[in-house]
PDB file of all heavy atoms in Angstrom:
ATOM      1  N   ASP G   1     -14.906  20.782   0.878  1.00 96.00           N
ATOM      2  CA  ASP G   1     -14.227  20.638  -0.419  1.00 96.00           C
ATOM      3  C   ASP G   1     -12.785  20.181  -0.244  1.00 96.00           C
ATOM      4  O   ASP G   1     -12.252  19.428  -1.066  1.00 96.00           O
ATOM      5  CB  ASP G   1     -14.252  21.963  -1.187  1.00 96.00           C
ATOM      6  CG  ASP G   1     -15.633  22.285  -1.719  1.00 96.00           C
ATOM      7  OD1 ASP G   1     -16.447  21.352  -1.865  1.00 96.00           O
ATOM      8  OD2 ASP G   1     -15.914  23.473  -1.989  1.00 96.00           O
ATOM      9  N   GLU G   2     -12.156  20.631   0.835  1.00 97.00           N
ATOM     10  CA  GLU G   2     -10.762  20.237   1.087  1.00 97.00           C
ATOM     11  C   GLU G   2     -10.651  18.743   1.346  1.00 97.00           C
ATOM     12  O   GLU G   2      -9.744  18.088   0.815  1.00 97.00           O
ATOM     13  CB  GLU G   2     -10.206  21.020   2.275  1.00 97.00           C
ATOM     14  CG  GLU G   2      -9.993  22.503   1.984  1.00 97.00           C
ATOM     15  CD  GLU G   2      -9.607  23.298   3.215  1.00 97.00           C
ATOM     16  OE1 GLU G   2      -9.738  22.762   4.342  1.00 97.00           O
ATOM     17  OE2 GLU G   2      -9.192  24.456   3.059  1.00 97.00           O
ATOM     18  N   ILE G   3     -11.567  18.181   2.122  1.00 97.00           N
ATOM     19  CA  ILE G   3     -11.475  16.753   2.419  1.00 97.00           C
ATOM     20  C   ILE G   3     -11.762  15.914   1.177  1.00 97.00           C
ATOM     21  O   ILE G   3     -11.149  14.863   0.952  1.00 97.00           O
ATOM     22  CB  ILE G   3     -12.415  16.344   3.585  1.00 97.00           C
ATOM     23  CG1 ILE G   3     -12.232  14.869   3.949  1.00 97.00           C
ATOM     24  CG2 ILE G   3     -13.867  16.613   3.265  1.00 97.00           C
ATOM     25  CD1 ILE G   3     -10.842  14.509   4.396  1.00 97.00           C
ATOM     26  N   LYS G   4     -12.649  16.391   0.306  1.00 97.00           N
ATOM     27  CA  LYS G   4     -12.925  15.658  -0.942  1.00 97.00           C
ATOM     28  C   LYS G   4     -11.676  15.564  -1.812  1.00 97.00           C
ATOM     29  O   LYS G   4     -11.327  14.501  -2.319  1.00 97.00           O
ATOM     30  CB  LYS G   4     -14.048  16.353  -1.719  1.00 97.00           C
ATOM     31  CG  LYS G   4     -15.423  16.236  -1.108  1.00 97.00           C
ATOM     32  CD  LYS G   4     -16.438  17.033  -1.922  1.00 97.00           C
ATOM     33  CE  LYS G   4     -17.814  17.036  -1.268  1.00 97.00           C
ATOM     34  NZ  LYS G   4     -18.764  17.883  -2.032  1.00 97.00           N
ATOM     35  N   LEU G   5     -11.003  16.701  -1.986  1.00 97.00           N
ATOM     36  CA  LEU G   5      -9.815  16.709  -2.844  1.00 97.00           C
ATOM     37  C   LEU G   5      -8.657  15.985  -2.161  1.00 97.00           C
ATOM     38  O   LEU G   5      -7.888  15.263  -2.819  1.00 97.00           O
ATOM     39  CB  LEU G   5      -9.422  18.143  -3.182  1.00 97.00           C
ATOM     40  CG  LEU G   5      -8.392  18.290  -4.307  1.00 97.00           C
ATOM     41  CD1 LEU G   5      -8.994  17.852  -5.640  1.00 97.00           C
ATOM     42  CD2 LEU G   5      -7.902  19.729  -4.430  1.00 97.00           C
ATOM     43  N   TYR G   6      -8.534  16.169  -0.856  1.00 98.00           N
ATOM     44  CA  TYR G   6      -7.444  15.503  -0.128  1.00 98.00           C
ATOM     45  C   TYR G   6      -7.586  13.991  -0.201  1.00 98.00           C
ATOM     46  O   TYR G   6      -6.595  13.272  -0.402  1.00 98.00           O
ATOM     47  CB  TYR G   6      -7.428  15.964   1.325  1.00 98.00           C
ATOM     48  CG  TYR G   6      -6.283  15.357   2.123  1.00 98.00           C
ATOM     49  CD1 TYR G   6      -4.975  15.748   1.883  1.00 98.00           C
ATOM     50  CD2 TYR G   6      -6.521  14.387   3.089  1.00 98.00           C
ATOM     51  CE1 TYR G   6      -3.915  15.183   2.599  1.00 98.00           C
ATOM     52  CE2 TYR G   6      -5.481  13.816   3.815  1.00 98.00           C
ATOM     53  CZ  TYR G   6      -4.181  14.216   3.559  1.00 98.00           C
ATOM     54  OH  TYR G   6      -3.139  13.653   4.255  1.00 98.00           O
ATOM     55  N   ARG G   7      -8.797  13.487  -0.061  1.00 97.00           N
ATOM     56  CA  ARG G   7      -9.022  12.035  -0.155  1.00 97.00           C
ATOM     57  C   ARG G   7      -8.610  11.523  -1.534  1.00 97.00           C
ATOM     58  O   ARG G   7      -8.003  10.461  -1.667  1.00 97.00           O
ATOM     59  CB  ARG G   7     -10.496  11.706   0.117  1.00 97.00           C
ATOM     60  CG  ARG G   7     -10.790  10.204   0.111  1.00 97.00           C
ATOM     61  CD  ARG G   7     -12.268   9.928   0.307  1.00 97.00           C
ATOM     62  NE  ARG G   7     -12.740  10.370   1.601  1.00 97.00           N
ATOM     63  CZ  ARG G   7     -12.622   9.650   2.715  1.00 97.00           C
ATOM     64  NH1 ARG G   7     -12.051   8.458   2.679  1.00 97.00           N
ATOM     65  NH2 ARG G   7     -13.086  10.129   3.857  1.00 97.00           N
ATOM     66  N   LEU G   8      -8.946  12.291  -2.563  1.00 97.00           N
ATOM     67  CA  LEU G   8      -8.589  11.919  -3.929  1.00 97.00           C
ATOM     68  C   LEU G   8      -7.069  11.781  -4.068  1.00 97.00           C
ATOM     69  O   LEU G   8      -6.565  10.802  -4.632  1.00 97.00           O
ATOM     70  CB  LEU G   8      -9.108  12.998  -4.887  1.00 97.00           C
ATOM     71  CG  LEU G   8      -9.585  12.596  -6.282  1.00 97.00           C
ATOM     72  CD1 LEU G   8     -10.707  11.582  -6.223  1.00 97.00           C
ATOM     73  CD2 LEU G   8     -10.039  13.838  -7.034  1.00 97.00           C
ATOM     74  N   ILE G   9      -6.340  12.776  -3.538  1.00 97.00           N
ATOM     75  CA  ILE G   9      -4.876  12.781  -3.643  1.00 97.00           C
ATOM     76  C   ILE G   9      -4.257  11.676  -2.797  1.00 97.00           C
ATOM     77  O   ILE G   9      -3.349  10.956  -3.245  1.00 97.00           O
ATOM     78  CB  ILE G   9      -4.325  14.163  -3.214  1.00 97.00           C
ATOM     79  CG1 ILE G   9      -4.785  15.241  -4.203  1.00 97.00           C
ATOM     80  CG2 ILE G   9      -2.810  14.141  -3.099  1.00 97.00           C
ATOM     81  CD1 ILE G   9      -4.558  16.665  -3.721  1.00 97.00           C
ATOM     82  N   TYR G  10      -4.763  11.525  -1.580  1.00 97.00           N
ATOM     83  CA  TYR G  10      -4.216  10.528  -0.653  1.00 97.00           C
ATOM     84  C   TYR G  10      -4.386   9.115  -1.220  1.00 97.00           C
ATOM     85  O   TYR G  10      -3.442   8.322  -1.272  1.00 97.00           O
ATOM     86  CB  TYR G  10      -4.921  10.642   0.699  1.00 97.00           C
ATOM     87  CG  TYR G  10      -4.265   9.862   1.817  1.00 97.00           C
ATOM     88  CD1 TYR G  10      -3.420  10.492   2.725  1.00 97.00           C
ATOM     89  CD2 TYR G  10      -4.493   8.495   1.969  1.00 97.00           C
ATOM     90  CE1 TYR G  10      -2.817   9.784   3.761  1.00 97.00           C
ATOM     91  CE2 TYR G  10      -3.890   7.771   2.991  1.00 97.00           C
ATOM     92  CZ  TYR G  10      -3.053   8.418   3.895  1.00 97.00           C
ATOM     93  OH  TYR G  10      -2.452   7.706   4.902  1.00 97.00           O
ATOM     94  N   GLU G  11      -5.595   8.809  -1.676  1.00 97.00           N
ATOM     95  CA  GLU G  11      -5.863   7.457  -2.170  1.00 97.00           C
ATOM     96  C   GLU G  11      -5.157   7.184  -3.494  1.00 97.00           C
ATOM     97  O   GLU G  11      -4.734   6.057  -3.755  1.00 97.00           O
ATOM     98  CB  GLU G  11      -7.378   7.238  -2.299  1.00 97.00           C
ATOM     99  CG  GLU G  11      -8.075   7.202  -0.944  1.00 97.00           C
ATOM    100  CD  GLU G  11      -9.545   6.838  -1.037  1.00 97.00           C
ATOM    101  OE1 GLU G  11     -10.075   6.794  -2.175  1.00 97.00           O
ATOM    102  OE2 GLU G  11     -10.161   6.602   0.024  1.00 97.00           O
ATOM    103  N   ARG G  12      -5.001   8.213  -4.333  1.00 97.00           N
ATOM    104  CA  ARG G  12      -4.271   7.997  -5.589  1.00 97.00           C
ATOM    105  C   ARG G  12      -2.804   7.681  -5.306  1.00 97.00           C
ATOM    106  O   ARG G  12      -2.202   6.833  -5.965  1.00 97.00           O
ATOM    107  CB  ARG G  12      -4.389   9.229  -6.487  1.00 97.00           C
ATOM    108  CG  ARG G  12      -3.560   9.166  -7.770  1.00 97.00           C
ATOM    109  CD  ARG G  12      -4.000   8.039  -8.700  1.00 97.00           C
ATOM    110  NE  ARG G  12      -5.229   8.343  -9.358  1.00 97.00           N
ATOM    111  CZ  ARG G  12      -5.316   8.847 -10.592  1.00 97.00           C
ATOM    112  NH1 ARG G  12      -4.233   9.085 -11.289  1.00 97.00           N
ATOM    113  NH2 ARG G  12      -6.499   9.081 -11.124  1.00 97.00           N
ATOM    114  N   PHE G  13      -2.220   8.369  -4.312  1.00 97.00           N
ATOM    115  CA  PHE G  13      -0.819   8.107  -3.968  1.00 97.00           C
ATOM    116  C   PHE G  13      -0.648   6.682  -3.450  1.00 97.00           C
ATOM    117  O   PHE G  13       0.284   5.968  -3.844  1.00 97.00           O
ATOM    118  CB  PHE G  13      -0.334   9.120  -2.935  1.00 97.00           C
ATOM    119  CG  PHE G  13       1.065   8.852  -2.435  1.00 97.00           C
ATOM    120  CD1 PHE G  13       2.126   8.775  -3.318  1.00 97.00           C
ATOM    121  CD2 PHE G  13       1.315   8.673  -1.080  1.00 97.00           C
ATOM    122  CE1 PHE G  13       3.422   8.530  -2.868  1.00 97.00           C
ATOM    123  CE2 PHE G  13       2.599   8.428  -0.626  1.00 97.00           C
ATOM    124  CZ  PHE G  13       3.653   8.351  -1.517  1.00 97.00           C
ATOM    125  N   MET G  14      -1.534   6.254  -2.575  1.00 97.00           N
ATOM    126  CA  MET G  14      -1.440   4.883  -2.077  1.00 97.00           C
ATOM    127  C   MET G  14      -1.653   3.875  -3.200  1.00 97.00           C
ATOM    128  O   MET G  14      -0.909   2.903  -3.337  1.00 97.00           O
ATOM    129  CB  MET G  14      -2.472   4.647  -0.969  1.00 97.00           C
ATOM    130  CG  MET G  14      -2.104   5.245   0.370  1.00 97.00           C
ATOM    131  SD  MET G  14      -3.177   4.656   1.708  1.00 97.00           S
ATOM    132  CE  MET G  14      -2.738   2.932   1.790  1.00 97.00           C
ATOM    133  N   ALA G  15      -2.659   4.128  -4.023  1.00 97.00           N
ATOM    134  CA  ALA G  15      -3.000   3.190  -5.093  1.00 97.00           C
ATOM    135  C   ALA G  15      -1.849   3.013  -6.073  1.00 97.00           C
ATOM    136  O   ALA G  15      -1.616   1.910  -6.585  1.00 97.00           O
ATOM    137  CB  ALA G  15      -4.250   3.661  -5.827  1.00 97.00           C
ATOM    138  N   CYS G  16      -1.115   4.088  -6.340  1.00 97.00           N
ATOM    139  CA  CYS G  16      -0.044   4.000  -7.347  1.00 97.00           C
ATOM    140  C   CYS G  16       1.091   3.088  -6.911  1.00 97.00           C
ATOM    141  O   CYS G  16       1.924   2.694  -7.738  1.00 97.00           O
ATOM    142  CB  CYS G  16       0.468   5.397  -7.696  1.00 97.00           C
ATOM    143  SG  CYS G  16       1.699   6.077  -6.555  1.00 97.00           S
ATOM    144  N   GLN G  17       1.151   2.734  -5.611  1.00 97.00           N
ATOM    145  CA  GLN G  17       2.206   1.847  -5.122  1.00 97.00           C
ATOM    146  C   GLN G  17       1.680   0.464  -4.731  1.00 97.00           C
ATOM    147  O   GLN G  17       2.399  -0.324  -4.116  1.00 97.00           O
ATOM    148  CB  GLN G  17       2.910   2.499  -3.928  1.00 97.00           C
ATOM    149  CG  GLN G  17       3.727   3.727  -4.293  1.00 97.00           C
ATOM    150  CD  GLN G  17       4.782   3.438  -5.334  1.00 97.00           C
ATOM    151  OE1 GLN G  17       5.479   2.419  -5.272  1.00 97.00           O
ATOM    152  NE2 GLN G  17       4.918   4.323  -6.321  1.00 97.00           N
ATOM    153  N   MET G  18       0.431   0.163  -5.106  1.00 97.00           N
ATOM    154  CA  MET G  18      -0.142  -1.149  -4.807  1.00 97.00           C
ATOM    155  C   MET G  18      -0.019  -2.070  -6.026  1.00 97.00           C
ATOM    156  O   MET G  18       0.454  -1.657  -7.091  1.00 97.00           O
ATOM    157  CB  MET G  18      -1.612  -0.993  -4.387  1.00 97.00           C
ATOM    158  CG  MET G  18      -1.784  -0.237  -3.075  1.00 97.00           C
ATOM    159  SD  MET G  18      -3.505   0.057  -2.613  1.00 97.00           S
ATOM    160  CE  MET G  18      -4.024  -1.604  -2.166  1.00 97.00           C
ATOM    161  N   THR G  19      -0.411  -3.300  -5.871  1.00 97.00           N
ATOM    162  CA  THR G  19      -0.341  -4.261  -6.980  1.00 97.00           C
ATOM    163  C   THR G  19      -1.476  -4.019  -7.970  1.00 97.00           C
ATOM    164  O   THR G  19      -2.516  -3.443  -7.636  1.00 97.00           O
ATOM    165  CB  THR G  19      -0.442  -5.707  -6.453  1.00 97.00           C
ATOM    166  OG1 THR G  19      -1.549  -5.786  -5.548  1.00 97.00           O
ATOM    167  CG2 THR G  19       0.817  -6.126  -5.749  1.00 97.00           C
ATOM    168  N   ASP G  20      -1.268  -4.465  -9.202  1.00 96.00           N
ATOM    169  CA  ASP G  20      -2.292  -4.358 -10.226  1.00 96.00           C
ATOM    170  C   ASP G  20      -3.465  -5.274  -9.893  1.00 96.00           C
ATOM    171  O   ASP G  20      -3.305  -6.286  -9.205  1.00 96.00           O
ATOM    172  CB  ASP G  20      -1.728  -4.769 -11.597  1.00 96.00           C
ATOM    173  CG  ASP G  20      -0.591  -3.877 -12.051  1.00 96.00           C
ATOM    174  OD1 ASP G  20      -0.549  -2.721 -11.609  1.00 96.00           O
ATOM    175  OD2 ASP G  20       0.253  -4.346 -12.844  1.00 96.00           O
ATOM    176  N   ALA G  21      -4.633  -4.910 -10.401  1.00 95.00           N
ATOM    177  CA  ALA G  21      -5.791  -5.808 -10.297  1.00 95.00           C
ATOM    178  C   ALA G  21      -5.686  -6.844 -11.415  1.00 95.00           C
ATOM    179  O   ALA G  21      -5.087  -6.591 -12.465  1.00 95.00           O
ATOM    180  CB  ALA G  21      -7.080  -5.015 -10.419  1.00 95.00           C
ATOM    181  N   LEU G  22      -6.286  -7.999 -11.195  1.00 95.00           N
ATOM    182  CA  LEU G  22      -6.178  -9.095 -12.166  1.00 95.00           C
ATOM    183  C   LEU G  22      -7.565  -9.613 -12.518  1.00 95.00           C
ATOM    184  O   LEU G  22      -8.372  -9.920 -11.635  1.00 95.00           O
ATOM    185  CB  LEU G  22      -5.326 -10.223 -11.576  1.00 95.00           C
ATOM    186  CG  LEU G  22      -4.812 -11.288 -12.546  1.00 95.00           C
ATOM    187  CD1 LEU G  22      -3.916 -10.668 -13.608  1.00 95.00           C
ATOM    188  CD2 LEU G  22      -4.056 -12.367 -11.782  1.00 95.00           C
ATOM    189  N   PHE G  23      -7.842  -9.677 -13.820  1.00 94.00           N
ATOM    190  CA  PHE G  23      -9.113 -10.186 -14.316  1.00 94.00           C
ATOM    191  C   PHE G  23      -8.887 -11.466 -15.112  1.00 94.00           C
ATOM    192  O   PHE G  23      -7.833 -11.646 -15.734  1.00 94.00           O
ATOM    193  CB  PHE G  23      -9.786  -9.161 -15.241  1.00 94.00           C
ATOM    194  CG  PHE G  23     -10.358  -7.970 -14.534  1.00 94.00           C
ATOM    195  CD1 PHE G  23      -9.584  -6.838 -14.315  1.00 94.00           C
ATOM    196  CD2 PHE G  23     -11.674  -7.979 -14.090  1.00 94.00           C
ATOM    197  CE1 PHE G  23     -10.103  -5.735 -13.673  1.00 94.00           C
ATOM    198  CE2 PHE G  23     -12.201  -6.872 -13.444  1.00 94.00           C
ATOM    199  CZ  PHE G  23     -11.412  -5.755 -13.233  1.00 94.00           C
ATOM    200  N   GLU G  24      -9.889 -12.328 -15.100  1.00 93.00           N
ATOM    201  CA  GLU G  24      -9.904 -13.477 -16.009  1.00 93.00           C
ATOM    202  C   GLU G  24     -10.862 -13.156 -17.143  1.00 93.00           C
ATOM    203  O   GLU G  24     -12.042 -12.903 -16.917  1.00 93.00           O
ATOM    204  CB  GLU G  24     -10.360 -14.746 -15.286  1.00 93.00           C
ATOM    205  CG  GLU G  24     -10.305 -15.976 -16.173  1.00 93.00           C
ATOM    206  CD  GLU G  24     -10.713 -17.233 -15.445  1.00 93.00           C
ATOM    207  OE1 GLU G  24     -11.931 -17.491 -15.364  1.00 93.00           O
ATOM    208  OE2 GLU G  24      -9.819 -17.951 -14.946  1.00 93.00           O
ATOM    209  N   GLN G  25     -10.329 -13.123 -18.355  1.00 93.00           N
ATOM    210  CA  GLN G  25     -11.108 -12.761 -19.537  1.00 93.00           C
ATOM    211  C   GLN G  25     -11.467 -14.035 -20.295  1.00 93.00           C
ATOM    212  O   GLN G  25     -10.602 -14.872 -20.566  1.00 93.00           O
ATOM    213  CB  GLN G  25     -10.286 -11.841 -20.444  1.00 93.00           C
ATOM    214  CG  GLN G  25     -11.055 -11.214 -21.576  1.00 93.00           C
ATOM    215  CD  GLN G  25     -11.740  -9.922 -21.179  1.00 93.00           C
ATOM    216  OE1 GLN G  25     -11.274  -9.224 -20.294  1.00 93.00           O
ATOM    217  NE2 GLN G  25     -12.846  -9.626 -21.815  1.00 93.00           N
ATOM    218  N   GLN G  26     -12.740 -14.183 -20.638  1.00 93.00           N
ATOM    219  CA  GLN G  26     -13.191 -15.363 -21.377  1.00 93.00           C
ATOM    220  C   GLN G  26     -13.876 -14.926 -22.664  1.00 93.00           C
ATOM    221  O   GLN G  26     -14.643 -13.964 -22.686  1.00 93.00           O
ATOM    222  CB  GLN G  26     -14.159 -16.194 -20.532  1.00 93.00           C
ATOM    223  CG  GLN G  26     -14.466 -17.558 -21.133  1.00 93.00           C
ATOM    224  CD  GLN G  26     -15.370 -18.390 -20.232  1.00 93.00           C
ATOM    225  OE1 GLN G  26     -16.339 -17.867 -19.711  1.00 93.00           O
ATOM    226  NE2 GLN G  26     -15.057 -19.667 -20.050  1.00 93.00           N
ATOM    227  N   SER G  27     -13.576 -15.634 -23.738  1.00 94.00           N
ATOM    228  CA  SER G  27     -14.165 -15.327 -25.035  1.00 94.00           C
ATOM    229  C   SER G  27     -14.699 -16.618 -25.648  1.00 94.00           C
ATOM    230  O   SER G  27     -13.988 -17.628 -25.697  1.00 94.00           O
ATOM    231  CB  SER G  27     -13.117 -14.695 -25.953  1.00 94.00           C
ATOM    232  OG  SER G  27     -13.665 -14.416 -27.214  1.00 94.00           O
TER     233      SER G  27
END
């Protein structure tokens, strides 16, 4: 359980300092 929660926290911290994802939207 510790590794599950730790991975969640670790990856969220890294993700918050990365670039945004970019989509092309077509209508």
Side-chain angles (χ1 to χ4, degrees):
D1 288 338
E2 290 173 347
I3 184 60
K4 289 177 185 177
L5 193 67
Y6 182 70
R7 183 183 296 277
L8 214 58
I9 294 167
Y10 192 99
E11 292 186 350
R12 175 63 74 97
F13 175 57
M14 283 192 67
C16 83
Q17 292 303 317
M18 294 176 71
T19 48
D20 298 334
L22 195 61
F23 287 90
E24 184 178 84
Q25 190 87 28
Q26 191 177 44
S27 179

